[in-house]
Amino acid sequence: MRLWGGRFEGGPADALARLSVSVHFDWRLVPYDLLASRAHARVLNRAGLLSDDELARMLAAIDDLEEACRSGAFRPTVADEDVHTALERGLLERLGTLGGKLRAGRSRNDQIATDLRLYLRDHVRTIVSRLVELETALMSQAEQHADTAAPGMTHLQHAQPVSFGHQLLAHVHPLTRDIERLRDWDRRAAVSPLGSGALAGSSLPLDPQAVAAELGFDAAAPNSMDAVADRDFAAEFLFCAAMIGIHLSRLGEEIVLWASQEFRWIEMDDAYSTGSSIMPQKKNPDVAELARGKSGRLIGSLMSLLTTLKGLPLTYNRDLQEDKEPVFDAVDTLLLVLPAVSGLVSTMRVNTAKLESSASDGFALATDLAELLVRKGVVFREAHEAVGHLVVWCQVNDKEFGDLTDEELAKISPHFGGDVRDVLSVPGALASRKAYGGTAPDRVRDQLAALREAVDAQAAWATGA
Ligand code: ARG
């Protein structure tokens, strides 16, 4: 059953039919296509092109078809080119010739662009809900570990002690930005292509604005040619998805490190770790690794669509059918990965003792020492030098800062007195970083309170509450 048989004498070659078919992946658009069909039927009725009785029968048939699709009683066949073809067949089966009236003023070009926007706006809300769950898991751990000192790193080398809660919240902020990006995306995606027809609009007295409102869009597209050609919304969604993938990958990489024998910062729950088929002792961070690995396909999906779009002339070109699989794969991937990462984070046990005992390793309080000297009036450049010498002296003599006697300190620099020991405290070092945005546990608690408010608003947006 083709939608375009009239001017052709023969049927399509098998090779063309196989190349052309998209119903095996666009079938998931059924609920959105039918939603748009209901809106279109109403607009045809208002335009006097469908009687009240016909409209009632049409809407009943659409409901019946939707139920049949849901139950599996109606399935696409190999002869259905795409979801639109299959659903028109379903309406013809139910309504006879009346089923063919719905196509008036409508093309698959404006239909598919509308369906994909509806699908994405719906699924973006689900993705945001899953992101909120991950934010919440990270924030709960951060709340418990605001006072837990941890080695803070740059270049993966011990740098300065930080609150482990601060570090966990540093993974929440990127996710809040991801959600804000999706909310911002949603404003631009809220434009309805329906009514644009194939490319030029319709000579029938349709009402694209009314259709847009009925479908929950903010407006109808102001240019029919742009409306059927535009896939910015799909590419922009894929960028948002790729960025989320990158954030999950960076978190995943940290968790892989934290769970290693070398770090031992966390113990993963059995439910979120895997074993080895040969080494009985192994407990592997597969969830974190898959989160890291899946970022590759998310980035790939973005590249794939951008490459497809580049250089396409106006308006609709069949190339655009290639927009759907990367978009669907990105949605599926995020909905698969996010719950697993949330579970991993919420169930991991933090090894507080290990974190605290290594927080000052690698002379991580050196900056605090230098800043003590600055407070005593020493030029920072000199203070930096003096502490640097102290580090070398300690390394050569196999000592920590805390082991040094007053005589040893004085020998290295006249600036060092016994008060040096006052700043050689990890809790003191944390508490002293109390300016806005710093790692002082009190600031971390403030930060957490502000984040909770922002995340509540994000959760409410996702559910329409
Ligand atoms: N299956 C097509 C797609 O996904 C629908 C639009 C087809 N339009 C056309 N004129 N062939 O893009």
Side-chain angles (χ1 to χ4, degrees):
M1 208 220 63
R2 276 170 291 137
L3 301 181
W4 41 268
R7 61 103 68 218
F8 288 85
E9 287 183 6
D14 274 355
L16 161 66
R18 278 199 302 276
L19 173 64
S20 182
V21 71
S22 61
V23 75
H24 52 294
F25 56 79
D26 64 22
W27 186 244
R28 66 166 81 189
L29 296 175
V30 162
Y32 307 97
D33 200 71
L34 292 177
L35 215 56
S37 285
R38 288 187 185 92
H40 188 63
R42 289 196 185 93
V43 95
L44 288 178
N45 170 249
R46 284 196 296 276
L49 299 166
L50 210 58
S51 72
D52 289 350
D53 173 58
E54 286 175 327
L55 173 65
R57 284 165 56 208
M58 184 72 80
L59 293 176
I62 291 174
D63 289 348
D64 184 63
L65 180 56
E66 178 154 48
E67 185 42 45
C69 291
R70 199 173 304 146
S71 71
F74 184 82
R75 299 281 312 148
T77 72
V78 282
D80 293 324
E81 183 183 309
D82 55 21
V83 62
H84 321 293
T85 316
L87 292 178
E88 181 163 317
R89 178 173 59 80
L91 287 183
L92 291 171
E93 284 169 11
R94 282 161 181 74
L95 296 168
T97 45
L98 172 59
K101 278 203 168 187
L102 198 57
R103 218 200 295 162
R106 193 170 74 159
S107 153
R108 285 184 292 166
N109 297 354
D110 58 348
Q111 246 179 301
I112 192 63
T114 306
D115 292 0
L116 193 57
R117 281 174 191 257
L118 288 171
Y119 166 87
L120 264 184
R121 294 190 70 210
D122 194 15
H123 283 77
V124 155
R125 282 154 176 80
T126 311
I127 291 168
V128 168
S129 291
R130 297 293 88 80
L131 284 166
V132 164
E133 284 159 15
L134 177 55
E135 290 175 325
T136 304
L138 286 162
M139 289 190 300
S140 304
Q141 290 282 7
E143 185 165 31
Q144 289 171 51
H145 294 287
D147 291 296
T148 303
M153 304 202 179
T154 63
H155 312 268
L156 207 58
Q157 306 289 321
H158 285 239
Q160 293 177 347
V162 292
S163 145
F164 192 54
H166 195 50
Q167 176 151 1
L168 289 165
L169 293 185
H171 286 287
V172 177
H173 289 281
L175 301 175
T176 69
R177 291 194 293 275
D178 290 330
I179 292 176
E180 292 313 309
R181 234 186 308 279
L182 287 171
R183 290 174 69 174
D184 196 44
W185 167 89
D186 189 63
R187 281 193 308 110
R188 272 183 297 285
V191 175
S192 169
L194 213 58
S196 300
L199 78 161
S202 176
S203 66
L204 303 172
L206 306 175
D207 185 352
Q209 263 113 348
V211 171
E214 180 172 341
L215 294 176
F217 290 112
D218 292 341
N223 182 315
S224 60
M225 296 180 76
D226 177 47
V228 296
D230 169 25
R231 292 295 183 275
D232 295 8
F233 69 96
E236 195 180 346
F237 164 75
L238 286 174
F239 171 76
C240 296
M243 202 67 236
I244 294 167
I246 288 168
H247 291 145
L248 295 178
S249 176
R250 295 183 73 172
L251 172 61
E253 167 64 11
E254 294 226 323
I255 292 177
V256 169
L257 288 172
W258 299 346
S260 71
Q261 200 54 236
E262 285 63 33
F263 275 69
R264 284 192 303 108
W265 288 11
I266 60 158
E267 166 93 27
M268 294 173 296
D269 194 82
D270 283 1
Y272 290 95
S273 43
T274 52
S276 154
S277 53
I278 180 169
M279 298 166 284
Q281 85 287 6
K282 288 279 276 183
K283 198 167 175 186
N284 290 329
D286 288 29
V287 170
E289 292 169 300
L290 284 166
R292 197 175 55 188
K294 297 277 187 194
S295 63
R297 63 196 287 163
L298 291 166
I299 295 165
S301 291
L302 171 63
M303 290 310 134
S304 156
L305 182 61
L306 288 175
T307 311
T308 296
L309 296 178
K310 180 190 168 299
L312 285 188
L314 291 174
T315 52
Y316 180 83
N317 301 273
R318 195 60 184 275
D319 315 46
L320 291 178
Q321 182 165 294
E322 292 296 310
D323 60 354
K324 276 169 284 299
E325 286 164 292
V327 163
F328 295 158
D329 190 70
V331 169
D332 292 346
T333 299
L334 290 177
L335 294 181
L336 197 60
V337 173
L338 284 167
V341 178
S342 297
L344 174 63
V345 169
S346 63
T347 57
M348 71 188 190
R349 284 174 295 282
V350 176
N351 188 347
T352 309
K354 177 67 167 56
L355 283 169
E356 299 228 302
S357 68
S358 48
S360 64
D361 284 0
F363 306 100
L365 294 171
T367 314
D368 297 81
L369 268 186
E371 288 175 358
L372 167 74
L373 299 190
V374 167
R375 282 197 293 276
K376 294 204 293 189
V378 181
V379 173
F380 184 76
R381 202 183 152 75
E382 279 172 37
H384 189 284
E385 281 278 304
V387 178
H389 290 142
L390 196 63
V391 168
V392 175
W393 195 90
C394 284
Q395 281 175 329
V396 169
N397 293 281
D398 197 20
K399 289 194 172 193
E400 298 286 330
F401 284 157
D403 305 331
L404 296 169
T405 64
D406 288 357
E407 296 73 51
E408 288 167 337
L409 283 166
K411 206 160 60 192
I412 294 157
S413 163
H415 298 313
F416 292 126
D419 54 353
V420 154
R421 263 175 293 275
D422 299 343
V423 295
L424 289 181
S425 126
V426 169
L430 289 193
S432 71
R433 292 186 164 74
K434 58 184 188 290
Y436 181 78
T439 195
D442 283 343
R443 285 298 82 71
V444 173
R445 278 181 277 271
D446 295 344
Q447 188 192 153
L448 182 60
L451 269 174
R452 285 212 190 275
E453 229 174 273
V455 170
D456 281 351
Q458 297 181 328
W461 179 83
T463 56

Short mmCIF file of all heavy atoms in Angstrom, two decimals, residues 371-422:
data_model
loop_
_atom_site.label_atom_id
_atom_site.label_comp_id
_atom_site.label_asym_id
_atom_site.label_seq_id
_atom_site.Cartn_x
_atom_site.Cartn_y
_atom_site.Cartn_z
N GLU A 371 50.33 30.47 52.51
CA GLU A 371 49.38 31.55 52.80
C GLU A 371 49.50 32.04 54.25
O GLU A 371 49.25 33.21 54.55
CB GLU A 371 47.95 31.11 52.45
CG GLU A 371 47.79 31.04 50.92
CD GLU A 371 46.45 30.51 50.41
OE1 GLU A 371 45.60 30.13 51.23
OE2 GLU A 371 46.29 30.48 49.18
N LEU A 372 49.96 31.14 55.14
CA LEU A 372 50.24 31.57 56.53
C LEU A 372 51.34 32.64 56.51
O LEU A 372 51.25 33.67 57.16
CB LEU A 372 50.69 30.37 57.38
CG LEU A 372 51.30 30.71 58.74
CD1 LEU A 372 50.20 31.16 59.71
CD2 LEU A 372 52.05 29.53 59.33
N LEU A 373 52.38 32.35 55.71
CA LEU A 373 53.49 33.31 55.63
C LEU A 373 53.02 34.64 55.03
O LEU A 373 53.41 35.71 55.48
CB LEU A 373 54.64 32.74 54.79
CG LEU A 373 55.28 31.44 55.30
CD1 LEU A 373 56.56 31.14 54.52
CD2 LEU A 373 55.59 31.52 56.79
N VAL A 374 52.14 34.55 54.05
CA VAL A 374 51.62 35.78 53.43
C VAL A 374 50.87 36.61 54.48
O VAL A 374 51.03 37.83 54.55
CB VAL A 374 50.70 35.44 52.24
CG1 VAL A 374 49.92 36.67 51.80
CG2 VAL A 374 51.53 34.91 51.08
N ARG A 375 50.10 35.92 55.31
CA ARG A 375 49.37 36.66 56.36
C ARG A 375 50.34 37.33 57.33
O ARG A 375 50.01 38.32 57.96
CB ARG A 375 48.41 35.71 57.10
CG ARG A 375 47.13 35.41 56.33
CD ARG A 375 46.05 34.82 57.22
NE ARG A 375 46.40 33.49 57.72
CZ ARG A 375 46.21 32.36 57.03
NH1 ARG A 375 45.66 32.40 55.83
NH2 ARG A 375 46.57 31.20 57.53
N LYS A 376 51.57 36.75 57.44
CA LYS A 376 52.58 37.37 58.32
C LYS A 376 53.39 38.44 57.59
O LYS A 376 54.37 38.93 58.12
CB LYS A 376 53.52 36.27 58.87
CG LYS A 376 52.76 35.30 59.79
CD LYS A 376 53.66 34.58 60.78
CE LYS A 376 54.63 33.63 60.10
NZ LYS A 376 55.33 32.79 61.10
N GLY A 377 53.02 38.73 56.35
CA GLY A 377 53.67 39.83 55.64
C GLY A 377 54.73 39.40 54.64
O GLY A 377 55.34 40.23 53.97
N VAL A 378 54.96 38.10 54.50
CA VAL A 378 55.97 37.64 53.53
C VAL A 378 55.38 37.76 52.11
O VAL A 378 54.20 37.46 51.89
CB VAL A 378 56.36 36.17 53.81
CG1 VAL A 378 57.42 35.68 52.83
CG2 VAL A 378 56.85 36.02 55.25
N VAL A 379 56.21 38.20 51.18
CA VAL A 379 55.79 38.28 49.78
C VAL A 379 55.47 36.86 49.28
O VAL A 379 56.23 35.93 49.57
CB VAL A 379 56.94 38.89 48.95
CG1 VAL A 379 56.63 38.83 47.45
CG2 VAL A 379 57.20 40.30 49.39
N PHE A 380 54.38 36.69 48.55
CA PHE A 380 53.96 35.32 48.19
C PHE A 380 55.05 34.56 47.43
O PHE A 380 55.29 33.39 47.66
CB PHE A 380 52.66 35.32 47.37
CG PHE A 380 52.20 33.91 47.09
CD1 PHE A 380 51.61 33.14 48.08
CD2 PHE A 380 52.43 33.31 45.85
CE1 PHE A 380 51.22 31.82 47.84
CE2 PHE A 380 52.06 31.99 45.60
CZ PHE A 380 51.45 31.25 46.62
N ARG A 381 55.73 35.28 46.56
CA ARG A 381 56.79 34.66 45.77
C ARG A 381 57.83 34.00 46.68
O ARG A 381 58.27 32.87 46.43
CB ARG A 381 57.44 35.77 44.94
CG ARG A 381 58.18 35.33 43.73
CD ARG A 381 58.84 36.52 43.05
NE ARG A 381 60.02 36.05 42.35
CZ ARG A 381 59.97 35.37 41.23
NH1 ARG A 381 58.83 35.14 40.65
NH2 ARG A 381 61.08 34.93 40.66
N GLU A 382 58.21 34.70 47.75
CA GLU A 382 59.19 34.16 48.70
C GLU A 382 58.59 33.03 49.52
O GLU A 382 59.26 32.02 49.80
CB GLU A 382 59.67 35.25 49.67
CG GLU A 382 60.74 36.16 49.08
CD GLU A 382 61.03 37.35 50.00
OE1 GLU A 382 61.01 37.15 51.24
OE2 GLU A 382 61.23 38.45 49.46
N ALA A 383 57.34 33.21 49.90
CA ALA A 383 56.68 32.17 50.69
C ALA A 383 56.61 30.87 49.89
O ALA A 383 56.88 29.78 50.41
CB ALA A 383 55.27 32.64 51.07
N HIS A 384 56.28 31.00 48.60
CA HIS A 384 56.19 29.84 47.70
C HIS A 384 57.54 29.12 47.66
O HIS A 384 57.61 27.89 47.80
CB HIS A 384 55.77 30.36 46.32
CG HIS A 384 55.42 29.27 45.33
ND1 HIS A 384 56.37 28.51 44.70
CD2 HIS A 384 54.21 28.84 44.87
CE1 HIS A 384 55.77 27.66 43.89
NE2 HIS A 384 54.46 27.83 43.98
N GLU A 385 58.62 29.89 47.50
CA GLU A 385 59.99 29.35 47.49
C GLU A 385 60.30 28.58 48.77
O GLU A 385 60.77 27.45 48.74
CB GLU A 385 61.00 30.51 47.41
CG GLU A 385 61.21 31.12 46.04
CD GLU A 385 62.18 30.29 45.21
OE1 GLU A 385 63.33 30.05 45.66
OE2 GLU A 385 61.73 29.87 44.14
N ALA A 386 60.01 29.26 49.91
CA ALA A 386 60.37 28.68 51.20
C ALA A 386 59.65 27.36 51.41
O ALA A 386 60.27 26.37 51.84
CB ALA A 386 60.01 29.68 52.32
N VAL A 387 58.36 27.32 51.08
CA VAL A 387 57.61 26.08 51.28
C VAL A 387 58.11 25.01 50.31
O VAL A 387 58.20 23.83 50.65
CB VAL A 387 56.09 26.31 51.15
CG1 VAL A 387 55.33 24.99 51.30
CG2 VAL A 387 55.61 27.31 52.19
N GLY A 388 58.47 25.43 49.11
CA GLY A 388 59.05 24.50 48.14
C GLY A 388 60.30 23.84 48.70
O GLY A 388 60.48 22.61 48.59
N HIS A 389 61.16 24.63 49.34
CA HIS A 389 62.37 24.06 49.95
C HIS A 389 62.01 23.09 51.05
O HIS A 389 62.63 22.03 51.20
CB HIS A 389 63.27 25.18 50.51
CG HIS A 389 63.92 26.00 49.45
ND1 HIS A 389 64.09 27.36 49.55
CD2 HIS A 389 64.41 25.65 48.23
CE1 HIS A 389 64.67 27.81 48.45
NE2 HIS A 389 64.87 26.79 47.63
N LEU A 390 60.98 23.44 51.80
CA LEU A 390 60.53 22.58 52.90
C LEU A 390 60.09 21.22 52.35
O LEU A 390 60.41 20.17 52.92
CB LEU A 390 59.37 23.27 53.62
CG LEU A 390 59.00 22.73 55.00
CD1 LEU A 390 60.14 22.91 55.98
CD2 LEU A 390 57.74 23.45 55.52
N VAL A 391 59.38 21.26 51.22
CA VAL A 391 58.90 20.00 50.61
C VAL A 391 60.09 19.12 50.23
O VAL A 391 60.14 17.93 50.54
CB VAL A 391 58.01 20.30 49.37
CG1 VAL A 391 57.75 19.03 48.56
CG2 VAL A 391 56.69 20.95 49.79
N VAL A 392 61.07 19.74 49.56
CA VAL A 392 62.24 18.95 49.14
C VAL A 392 62.96 18.37 50.36
O VAL A 392 63.34 17.19 50.39
CB VAL A 392 63.21 19.82 48.30
CG1 VAL A 392 64.48 19.05 47.97
CG2 VAL A 392 62.51 20.28 47.03
N TRP A 393 63.13 19.22 51.38
CA TRP A 393 63.82 18.76 52.59
C TRP A 393 63.09 17.56 53.19
O TRP A 393 63.70 16.56 53.57
CB TRP A 393 63.88 19.91 53.61
CG TRP A 393 64.86 19.64 54.72
CD1 TRP A 393 66.19 19.98 54.74
CD2 TRP A 393 64.59 18.95 55.96
NE1 TRP A 393 66.78 19.56 55.90
CE2 TRP A 393 65.82 18.91 56.67
CE3 TRP A 393 63.46 18.38 56.51
CZ2 TRP A 393 65.92 18.32 57.93
CZ3 TRP A 393 63.56 17.79 57.76
CH2 TRP A 393 64.78 17.75 58.46
N CYS A 394 61.77 17.65 53.24
CA CYS A 394 60.97 16.55 53.78
C CYS A 394 61.13 15.28 52.94
O CYS A 394 61.26 14.18 53.46
CB CYS A 394 59.49 16.93 53.84
SG CYS A 394 59.09 18.05 55.18
N GLN A 395 61.13 15.47 51.62
CA GLN A 395 61.26 14.29 50.75
C GLN A 395 62.60 13.61 50.95
O GLN A 395 62.67 12.38 51.09
CB GLN A 395 61.10 14.70 49.27
CG GLN A 395 59.63 14.89 48.89
CD GLN A 395 59.45 15.41 47.47
OE1 GLN A 395 60.31 16.14 46.98
NE2 GLN A 395 58.35 15.06 46.85
N VAL A 396 63.66 14.42 51.00
CA VAL A 396 65.02 13.87 51.16
C VAL A 396 65.12 13.14 52.51
O VAL A 396 65.72 12.08 52.62
CB VAL A 396 66.07 14.99 51.05
CG1 VAL A 396 67.45 14.51 51.47
CG2 VAL A 396 66.10 15.52 49.63
N ASN A 397 64.50 13.74 53.53
CA ASN A 397 64.63 13.17 54.88
C ASN A 397 63.46 12.25 55.26
O ASN A 397 63.35 11.86 56.42
CB ASN A 397 64.77 14.30 55.91
CG ASN A 397 66.08 15.05 55.72
OD1 ASN A 397 67.14 14.59 56.14
ND2 ASN A 397 66.01 16.18 55.02
N ASP A 398 62.64 11.96 54.27
CA ASP A 398 61.53 11.03 54.47
C ASP A 398 60.62 11.46 55.62
O ASP A 398 60.36 10.70 56.55
CB ASP A 398 62.09 9.61 54.71
CG ASP A 398 61.00 8.57 54.51
OD1 ASP A 398 59.99 8.89 53.85
OD2 ASP A 398 61.14 7.45 55.03
N LYS A 399 60.22 12.72 55.58
CA LYS A 399 59.34 13.23 56.65
C LYS A 399 58.11 13.90 56.06
O LYS A 399 58.11 14.33 54.91
CB LYS A 399 60.10 14.27 57.48
CG LYS A 399 61.18 13.66 58.35
CD LYS A 399 61.68 14.61 59.40
CE LYS A 399 62.62 13.84 60.33
NZ LYS A 399 62.92 14.54 61.54
N GLU A 400 57.06 13.97 56.88
CA GLU A 400 55.87 14.76 56.55
C GLU A 400 56.03 16.12 57.21
O GLU A 400 56.79 16.26 58.18
CB GLU A 400 54.61 14.09 57.09
CG GLU A 400 54.32 12.70 56.52
CD GLU A 400 53.81 12.75 55.09
OE1 GLU A 400 53.14 13.75 54.74
OE2 GLU A 400 54.10 11.81 54.34
N PHE A 401 55.24 17.11 56.74
CA PHE A 401 55.28 18.44 57.39
C PHE A 401 55.11 18.31 58.92
O PHE A 401 55.78 18.96 59.70
CB PHE A 401 54.16 19.34 56.88
CG PHE A 401 54.39 19.92 55.50
CD1 PHE A 401 53.31 20.35 54.72
CD2 PHE A 401 55.69 20.06 54.99
CE1 PHE A 401 53.51 20.90 53.47
CE2 PHE A 401 55.88 20.61 53.72
CZ PHE A 401 54.79 21.03 52.95
N GLY A 402 54.17 17.46 59.31
CA GLY A 402 53.79 17.36 60.72
C GLY A 402 54.90 16.81 61.60
O GLY A 402 54.86 16.94 62.83
N ASP A 403 55.91 16.14 60.97
CA ASP A 403 56.99 15.54 61.77
C ASP A 403 58.08 16.56 62.13
O ASP A 403 58.98 16.25 62.92
CB ASP A 403 57.68 14.40 60.98
CG ASP A 403 56.68 13.34 60.50
OD1 ASP A 403 55.66 13.16 61.20
OD2 ASP A 403 56.93 12.72 59.45
N LEU A 404 58.04 17.74 61.53
CA LEU A 404 59.17 18.67 61.66
C LEU A 404 59.24 19.32 63.04
O LEU A 404 58.20 19.71 63.61
CB LEU A 404 59.05 19.78 60.60
CG LEU A 404 59.13 19.29 59.16
CD1 LEU A 404 58.74 20.40 58.19
CD2 LEU A 404 60.55 18.81 58.85
N THR A 405 60.44 19.41 63.58
CA THR A 405 60.63 20.09 64.87
C THR A 405 60.84 21.59 64.61
O THR A 405 61.11 22.01 63.47
CB THR A 405 61.89 19.56 65.58
OG1 THR A 405 63.03 19.90 64.77
CG2 THR A 405 61.82 18.05 65.77
N ASP A 406 60.72 22.40 65.66
CA ASP A 406 60.93 23.85 65.53
C ASP A 406 62.31 24.16 64.96
O ASP A 406 62.47 25.04 64.11
CB ASP A 406 60.80 24.54 66.91
CG ASP A 406 59.35 24.58 67.37
OD1 ASP A 406 58.47 24.13 66.59
OD2 ASP A 406 59.10 25.05 68.49
N GLU A 407 63.34 23.38 65.41
CA GLU A 407 64.71 23.64 64.96
C GLU A 407 64.83 23.37 63.46
O GLU A 407 65.42 24.15 62.72
CB GLU A 407 65.73 22.74 65.69
CG GLU A 407 65.83 22.99 67.20
CD GLU A 407 64.62 22.46 67.98
OE1 GLU A 407 64.25 21.30 67.79
OE2 GLU A 407 64.00 23.28 68.71
N GLU A 408 64.24 22.25 63.05
CA GLU A 408 64.31 21.91 61.62
C GLU A 408 63.62 22.99 60.78
O GLU A 408 64.13 23.41 59.75
CB GLU A 408 63.66 20.54 61.37
CG GLU A 408 64.49 19.39 61.89
CD GLU A 408 63.73 18.04 61.93
OE1 GLU A 408 62.48 18.07 61.98
OE2 GLU A 408 64.38 17.01 61.94
N LEU A 409 62.47 23.44 61.25
CA LEU A 409 61.72 24.47 60.51
C LEU A 409 62.55 25.75 60.39
O LEU A 409 62.69 26.31 59.29
CB LEU A 409 60.40 24.79 61.24
CG LEU A 409 59.28 23.77 61.07
CD1 LEU A 409 58.17 24.02 62.08
CD2 LEU A 409 58.71 23.85 59.65
N ALA A 410 63.12 26.17 61.50
CA ALA A 410 63.88 27.42 61.51
C ALA A 410 65.10 27.32 60.61
O ALA A 410 65.52 28.30 59.97
CB ALA A 410 64.29 27.76 62.94
N LYS A 411 65.68 26.11 60.53
CA LYS A 411 66.87 25.91 59.70
C LYS A 411 66.55 26.14 58.22
O LYS A 411 67.36 26.65 57.46
CB LYS A 411 67.37 24.46 59.91
CG LYS A 411 68.84 24.27 59.65
CD LYS A 411 69.37 23.00 60.32
CE LYS A 411 68.64 21.76 59.79
NZ LYS A 411 68.88 20.55 60.58
N ILE A 412 65.34 25.75 57.83
CA ILE A 412 64.98 25.85 56.41
C ILE A 412 64.64 27.29 56.03
O ILE A 412 65.03 27.77 54.97
CB ILE A 412 63.82 24.90 56.08
CG1 ILE A 412 64.31 23.46 56.26
CG2 ILE A 412 63.32 25.10 54.66
CD1 ILE A 412 63.22 22.48 56.52
N SER A 413 63.91 27.99 56.89
CA SER A 413 63.60 29.39 56.60
C SER A 413 63.30 30.11 57.91
O SER A 413 62.57 29.58 58.75
CB SER A 413 62.39 29.48 55.67
OG SER A 413 61.86 30.79 55.70
N PRO A 414 63.82 31.32 58.06
CA PRO A 414 63.55 32.09 59.28
C PRO A 414 62.06 32.43 59.43
O PRO A 414 61.60 32.75 60.51
CB PRO A 414 64.38 33.37 59.09
CG PRO A 414 64.64 33.45 57.62
CD PRO A 414 64.67 32.06 57.11
N HIS A 415 61.31 32.31 58.30
CA HIS A 415 59.89 32.64 58.36
C HIS A 415 59.08 31.61 59.15
O HIS A 415 57.98 31.88 59.60
CB HIS A 415 59.29 32.71 56.95
CG HIS A 415 59.90 33.78 56.10
ND1 HIS A 415 60.09 35.07 56.54
CD2 HIS A 415 60.37 33.75 54.82
CE1 HIS A 415 60.65 35.79 55.57
NE2 HIS A 415 60.83 35.00 54.52
N PHE A 416 59.62 30.37 59.23
CA PHE A 416 58.82 29.31 59.86
C PHE A 416 58.98 29.31 61.36
O PHE A 416 60.11 29.22 61.88
CB PHE A 416 59.23 27.92 59.32
CG PHE A 416 58.89 27.72 57.87
CD1 PHE A 416 59.87 27.33 56.96
CD2 PHE A 416 57.60 27.92 57.41
CE1 PHE A 416 59.56 27.15 55.63
CE2 PHE A 416 57.29 27.73 56.08
CZ PHE A 416 58.27 27.35 55.18
N GLY A 417 57.89 29.40 62.09
CA GLY A 417 57.90 29.27 63.54
C GLY A 417 57.00 28.12 63.93
O GLY A 417 56.49 27.39 63.08
N GLY A 418 56.79 27.97 65.23
CA GLY A 418 55.94 26.89 65.72
C GLY A 418 54.50 27.00 65.25
O GLY A 418 53.78 26.01 65.18
N ASP A 419 54.08 28.24 64.89
CA ASP A 419 52.69 28.43 64.45
C ASP A 419 52.38 27.71 63.14
O ASP A 419 51.22 27.58 62.74
CB ASP A 419 52.36 29.93 64.30
CG ASP A 419 53.34 30.65 63.39
OD1 ASP A 419 54.34 30.02 62.97
OD2 ASP A 419 53.11 31.84 63.09
N VAL A 420 53.45 27.25 62.51
CA VAL A 420 53.27 26.45 61.29
C VAL A 420 52.32 25.30 61.55
O VAL A 420 51.45 24.97 60.74
CB VAL A 420 54.66 25.93 60.81
CG1 VAL A 420 54.51 24.66 60.02
CG2 VAL A 420 55.37 27.01 60.01
N ARG A 421 52.49 24.69 62.74
CA ARG A 421 51.66 23.51 63.06
C ARG A 421 50.16 23.86 63.15
O ARG A 421 49.32 23.00 62.95
CB ARG A 421 52.17 22.84 64.34
CG ARG A 421 53.09 21.65 64.03
CD ARG A 421 53.69 21.05 65.26
NE ARG A 421 54.62 21.97 65.90
CZ ARG A 421 55.90 22.08 65.54
NH1 ARG A 421 56.39 21.34 64.59
NH2 ARG A 421 56.69 22.94 66.14
N ASP A 422 49.86 25.14 63.44
CA ASP A 422 48.44 25.53 63.54
C ASP A 422 47.70 25.37 62.21
O ASP A 422 46.50 25.11 62.19
CB ASP A 422 48.30 27.00 63.98
CG ASP A 422 48.92 27.23 65.35
OD1 ASP A 422 49.15 26.21 66.06
OD2 ASP A 422 49.20 28.39 65.68
#
